[in-house]
Amino acid sequence: MLVRIVKMSFAPENIETFLNNFEENKLKIRAFEGCEFLELYRGKDNTNQFFTYSYWENEQALKNYRNSELFKAVWAKTKILFNEKPEAWSVSKEWSSE
């Protein structure tokens, strides 16, 4: 399993647009082949920062998503809203209490 964490920061006036886009697409992303889990977090102290946290079957599943029309459509609407460069990490889960 691959865990993907993406940090995004938006200008305050763009947050509602981002959240609407996420709401419209979250179930499509979650249903994408190879996606096993998806959550969205918001910064407690810096409320214009958001983090997506997703589980992917493997690296190829994430690559397939990133090359999909769904990703291209979602990302096109998202990237124009940033006020800082996004950051992303692919990590392996080493331990969980689940």
Side-chain angles (χ1 to χ4, degrees), residues 47-64:
T47 58
N48 69 322
Q49 284 186 342
F50 291 83
F51 301 82
T52 56
Y53 182 79
S54 56
Y55 293 175
W56 294 87
E57 196 173 281
N58 52 42
E59 191 170 345
Q60 187 59 52
L62 177 60
K63 284 182 183 180
N64 291 344

Side-chain angles (χ1 to χ4, degrees), residues 1-2 29-30 32 34-38 54-58:
M1 177 189 350
L2 176 82
I29 297 167
R30 177 58 187 90
F32 195 88
C35 182
E36 300 175 351
F37 182 82
L38 175 65
S54 56
Y55 293 175
W56 294 87
E57 196 173 281
N58 52 42

Side-chain angles (χ1 to χ4, degrees), residues 7-11 15 46 48-50 78 81-87:
K7 175 185 171 189
M8 301 167 286
S9 183
F10 301 96
I15 291 173
N46 188 348
N48 69 322
Q49 284 186 342
F50 291 83
T78 303
L81 305 173
F82 295 138
N83 67 352
E84 293 179 17
K85 185 177 177 181
E87 297 179 63

Side-chain angles (χ1 to χ4, degrees), residues 10-22:
F10 301 96
E13 64 271 16
N14 292 335
I15 291 173
E16 186 174 340
T17 302
F18 164 70
L19 289 173
N20 289 338
N21 187 37
F22 185 82

